[in-house]
Amino acid sequence: MAQATETFYEVIRRQGITRRSFNRFCSLTAASLGLAPAVAPQIAHALETRPRLPIIWMHGLECTCCSESFIRSAHPLAKDVVLSMISLDYDDTIMAAAGHQAEAILDEIRTKYKGGYVLAVEGNPPLNEDGMYCIDGGRPFVEKLKAMAADAQVVVAWGSCASWGCVQAAKPNPTNAVPIDKVIRDKPVIKVPGCPPIAEVMTGVITFITTFGRLPELDRQGRPKMFYSQRIHDKCYRRGHFDAGQFVEEWDDDGARRGYCLYKMGCRGPTTYNACSTVRWNDGVSFPIQSGHGCIGCSEDGFWDNGPFYDRLSNIRQFSIDANADLVGGTVAGVVGAAVVAHAAVTAVTRLTKKR
Amino acid sequence: MSGATETPESGRFRGVVDLAGVRTGRGPTIYVYEAPVRVWHWVNALCVAVLIVTGFLIGSPPPTVTGEASAHFQFGYIRFIHFAAGEVLTVFFLMRIYWAFVGNRHARQIFYLPIWSGTWWKGVIWEAKWYLFLTPEPKKYVAHNPLAHISMFFTVTLGTIGMIISGFALYSEGAGRDSWQAKLFGWVFTIFPNAQDVHTWHHLGMWVIVTFTILHVYAAVREEIMSRQTMIATMISGERQFRDDRDD
Ligand code: HEM
Ligand code: HEM
Ligand code: SF4
């Protein structure tokens, strides 16, 4: 265990990271958080003087794609630094400790840093059968989650699982998996949705919290504004084709080859808040739309139930058959229209026969 | 189209109505819909028609156009017309609400249902029978008949409010988090965190209004011909002429 008084700077120097790299890290972080260059020295100062924040990273019902994304952060220093900090504390996937030793770390941090650690949660708790669908360290994950959250300073919800529920909470949700803010009600929960979230977004959020010791500004849904205040659509490089009315109509048509807008192919960019179209993935190489596939809205609430992914209009979940708004509404309007015609016919016949 | 000065001709309405204004029946005439109500009605009807066409196209865009993207703004114009019509509709709806306070009592009718009134419920049943061909004659109404009233309250009054709220919430997504649209209507996304749901509800709302319009226009034409009072003419001139002067 690290000493309570150790600073972030001391930790990374111990990891063999140079002063120069540290300074680069600070300015890159300032840039990725959308802060002015003048903030970089402030970040450096904070990291040199403030005792570092311990981070606990817990895993509930999930697929580990958030961790996989995180370790691929384009900025290696952010990855190394943040990762080594996290593994110092607790992360069931990447820490060296195991078994009782690992569980002991949890207890230790909980008592030693009471009210002063970050709880990062990947995945979510299933509530059915008293939480028996996710047993972690011999007890239901939901209990462990509540216990660790009780003494945390802030809680970070990694990914769509922790933020919204994701695939395990999709209809019919047999295990009754719920987003973590349904069971953690007395702590600030910062949501970093995405399936997975973008690596740079994750390291950015963690760095912000560890640097400033507070949450970044959140939006109505509890997401950090710096990464989630615009839609994919708002910064999509195919937007010009959208406004022009140039759409891909079939996967193999000319429009697809020309890179037209994927709106008609069900692109959820217009309703998805995330940073993919600006930060992109894998060191800024690409993102789904750039690869020719529409956005499926993976960072949005209930995106699995808002399919089909390849139709512009979502099915209405309340109907057990597959029906979108046009099918439901068009059928109603059609039936009413036919009834009106029939009614008019009866009216005419009645009048004619009455006259005679 | 005032018939008030002419001698009222009693007795049942017989024969055909001439829409040019020559009426075969002569009954008492009452001024029902004041000018702001009428202007709102027709402006609203026009906006709704435009919103339905453009809204449908927003959900299912027309076939793709070819050539240089910068040479076209087709979908942009469709959306622009939708938003412009939506904003006009909103302004006129606010004006209509204002008029409900200062106008005559018929100006208030579509904003509430008198569910506490036994007479009104009897009227609902009577009109339902009339449309089901179970009774030979409708009642006379100064303003809307109770069935029309119900459909207007739910689909137009509540429906328009719903479309305005969901429409401006969707608009705020493009306008940005700090826009006034987001400040006023952003709460919609607390109820529906995924904006796609708001799209779906807004889209279903369109079909509610389409269905209302089919019924409404049919009923207006039918009642113009069949009822004991003028209809479409009333929404143009504001005056209702009854075709008989029996009390009931
Ligand atoms: C009777 C009134 C209205 C009707 C019938 C109507 C209809 C529609 C329809 C069918 C859509 C497509 C929904 C989808 O599947 O994505 C739509 C989208 C939209 N409507 Fe309306 N609408 C109405 C009023 C309004 C109003 C008052 C506004 C506010 C300005 C508005 C703003 C929008 C916006 C912003 C969109 C989304 C456009 C986009 O995503 O590109 N609508 N409307
Ligand atoms: C060609 C199309 C239309 C015609 C001929 C028409 C005709 C009429 C008539 C005759 C009335 C008076 C009914 C009465 O006195 O009881 C009326 C009232 C009304 N109509 Fe329409 N209408 C049309 C389109 C629409 C549309 C598209 C809407 C909205 C979606 C609409 C909404 C209303 C409402 C809300 C009233 C009540 C007005 C009030 O009391 O303020 N109408 N219409
Ligand atoms: S591809 Fe998707 S995100 Fe990009 S402009 Fe088209 S609809 Fe919007």
Side-chain angles (χ1 to χ4, degrees):
Chain A
M1 271 309 304
Q3 291 304 303
T5 46
E6 205 177 16
T7 65
F8 177 93
Y9 182 65
E10 283 159 0
V11 175
I12 59 162
R13 288 309 297 269
R14 196 151 49 73
Q15 304 276 321
I17 285 157
T18 62
R19 170 83 198 169
R20 190 159 175 226
S21 300
F22 170 73
N23 282 337
R24 268 191 63 211
F25 167 75
C26 292
S27 31
L28 276 171
T29 301
S32 86
L33 296 176
L35 303 172
V39 180
Q42 259 167 272
I43 295 180
H45 183 70
L47 294 176
E48 281 163 1
T49 50
R50 296 167 59 95
R52 72 174 189 90
L53 267 182
I55 302 170
I56 304 281
W57 187 312
M58 301 210 312
H59 299 248
L61 276 192
E62 46 93 349
C63 72
T64 315
C65 76
C66 300
S67 296
E68 288 290 342
S69 172
F70 191 79
I71 59 176
R72 279 162 185 73
S73 179
H75 179 22
L77 198 59
K79 178 190 69 188
D80 290 347
V81 165
V82 180
L83 260 184
S84 52
M85 278 171 59
I86 292 167
S87 59
L88 276 179
D89 303 319
Y90 181 92
D91 181 327
D92 8 10
T93 316
I94 56 174
M95 66 185 167
H100 294 297
Q101 205 188 356
E103 294 301 301
I105 297 179
L106 276 188
D107 287 339
E108 192 190 326
I109 292 187
R110 217 187 129 185
T111 41
K112 198 163 159 192
Y113 299 98
K114 203 170 167 61
Y117 59 89
V118 177
L119 178 66
V121 184
E122 183 175 349
N124 59 22
L127 301 184
N128 271 358
E129 313 289 347
D130 299 323
M132 296 297 275
Y133 291 105
C134 185
I135 300 290
D136 175 1
R139 55 186 171 138
F141 173 67
V142 60
E143 286 176 16
K144 195 168 159 183
L145 175 66
K146 280 183 182 161
M148 289 310 293
D151 291 323
Q153 183 184 346
V154 296
V155 180
V156 181
W158 279 151
S160 294
C161 299
S163 302
W164 302 121
C166 207
V167 65
Q168 60 274 43
K171 232 177 133 182
N173 192 359
T175 66
N176 191 19
V178 294
I180 61 168
D181 61 349
K182 288 274 176 339
V183 297
I184 304 171
R185 296 188 171 278
D186 55 346
K187 283 278 142 65
V189 174
I190 164 170
K191 295 185 171 182
V192 188
C195 191
I198 303 171
E200 287 73 19
V201 169
M202 300 175 80
T203 48
V205 168
I206 283 288
T207 314
F208 189 98
I209 299 174
T210 49
T211 308
F212 297 105
R214 62 178 165 87
L215 292 185
E217 213 188 329
L218 303 183
D219 70 2
R220 193 182 297 275
Q221 270 88 352
R223 303 173 291 203
K225 276 187 177 168
M226 56 183 87
F227 297 114
Y228 291 91
S229 59
Q230 278 190 315
R231 302 169 296 171
I232 303 299
H233 190 60
D234 294 319
K235 289 286 169 288
C236 176
Y237 76 105
R238 299 193 182 201
R239 179 62 188 260
H241 293 300
F242 172 87
D243 290 328
Q246 298 180 315
F247 304 105
V248 177
E249 312 259 2
E250 306 275 345
W251 286 119
D252 53 358
D253 70 1
D254 202 39
R257 276 184 287 275
R258 286 166 190 258
Y260 285 174
C261 165
L262 295 155
Y263 186 73
K264 280 192 178 178
M265 303 309 289
C267 179
R268 295 288 188 268
T271 53
T272 302
Y273 289 84
N274 208 336
C276 307
S277 48
T278 37
V279 177
R280 307 194 184 201
W281 288 81
N282 300 322
D283 205 356
V285 166
S286 184
F287 73 115
I289 292 166
Q290 196 171 339
S291 316
H293 189 286
C295 164
I296 61 171
C298 76
S299 54
E300 289 296 317
D301 179 37
F303 81 97
W304 287 102
D305 293 328
N306 259 311
F309 290 153
Y310 301 120
D311 277 342
R312 161 75 191 99
L313 303 183
S314 289
N315 280 344
I316 295 165
R317 278 165 273 169
Q318 280 67 27
F319 291 81
S320 39
I321 46 153
D322 287 351
N324 63 27
D326 275 351
L327 191 65
V328 173
T331 310
V332 172
V335 168
V336 168
V340 160
V341 171
H343 198 272
V346 175
T347 307
V349 170
T350 322
R351 266 174 79 92
L352 289 175
T353 47
K354 283 249 176 71
K355 259 195 199 133
R356 229 177 265 143
Chain B
M1 272 192 247
S2 160
T5 50
E6 295 162 41
T7 357
E9 189 186 290
S10 63
R12 284 199 65 171
F13 162 64
R14 274 168 258 105
V16 192
V17 172
D18 182 348
L19 283 177
V22 187
R23 285 186 222 87
T24 48
R26 291 273 181 275
T29 299
I30 302 177
Y31 187 53
V32 188
Y33 302 122
E34 295 156 299
V37 173
R38 285 176 277 141
V39 170
W40 169 72
H41 176 267
W42 295 112
V43 171
N44 184 63
L46 186 71
C47 289
V48 165
V50 170
L51 285 162
I52 287 171
V53 173
T54 52
F56 181 80
L57 290 175
I58 290 172
S60 312
T64 197
V65 296
T66 47
E68 171 89 273
S70 62
H72 303 281
F73 197 60
Q74 192 203 56
F75 204 53
Y77 284 129
I78 292 174
R79 293 171 70 246
F80 174 79
I81 295 168
H82 190 83
F83 307 154
E87 275 149 22
V88 171
L89 171 132
T90 307
V91 168
F92 273 78
F93 190 71
L94 292 177
M95 191 268 323
R96 181 67 183 79
I97 292 176
Y98 166 73
W99 199 255
F101 288 102
V102 300
N104 67 17
R105 66 192 177 87
H106 307 301
R108 281 184 275 285
Q109 193 180 6
I110 60 166
F111 292 99
Y112 68 96
L113 293 177
I115 46 170
W116 55 87
S117 153
T119 331
W120 184 77
W121 281 109
K122 282 202 194 101
V124 172
I125 293 167
W126 188 274
E127 278 303 302
K129 282 186 174 166
W130 159 241
Y131 279 106
L132 292 171
F133 307 101
L134 295 177
T135 173
E137 199 181 60
K139 298 274 183 204
K140 297 195 290 190
Y141 302 95
V142 175
H144 310 306
N145 83 52
L147 275 192
H149 187 187
I150 292 179
S151 72
M152 284 163 187
F153 175 75
F154 283 109
T155 54
V156 181
T157 310
L158 298 187
T160 305
I161 293 173
M163 292 311 273
I164 289 174
I165 292 174
S166 55
F168 275 99
L170 290 177
Y171 191 87
S172 78
E173 297 203 274
R177 288 289 166 88
D178 39 9
S179 61
W180 65 264
Q181 288 90 346
K183 291 198 177 84
L184 276 182
F185 299 98
W187 52 268
V188 171
F189 300 110
T190 305
I191 306 172
F192 303 105
N194 188 343
Q196 182 77 3
D197 290 325
V198 183
H199 275 268
T200 303
W201 283 109
H202 193 75
H203 206 117
L204 277 175
M206 173 189 80
W207 285 110
V208 169
I209 290 173
V210 167
T211 307
F212 166 82
T213 305
I214 295 173
L215 287 170
H216 175 67
V217 176
Y218 170 64
V221 172
R222 184 177 190 267
E223 297 307 280
E224 177 76 43
I225 301 168
M226 306 274 293
S227 78
R228 297 160 66 190
Q229 60 203 44
T230 56
M231 267 296 147
I232 300 180
T234 311
M235 213 12 115
I236 295 169
S237 71
E239 284 174 344
R240 175 88 81 214
Q241 193 184 38
F242 293 98
R243 288 155 182 164
D244 62 55
D245 53 8
R246 284 175 294 127
D247 285 340
D248 189 16

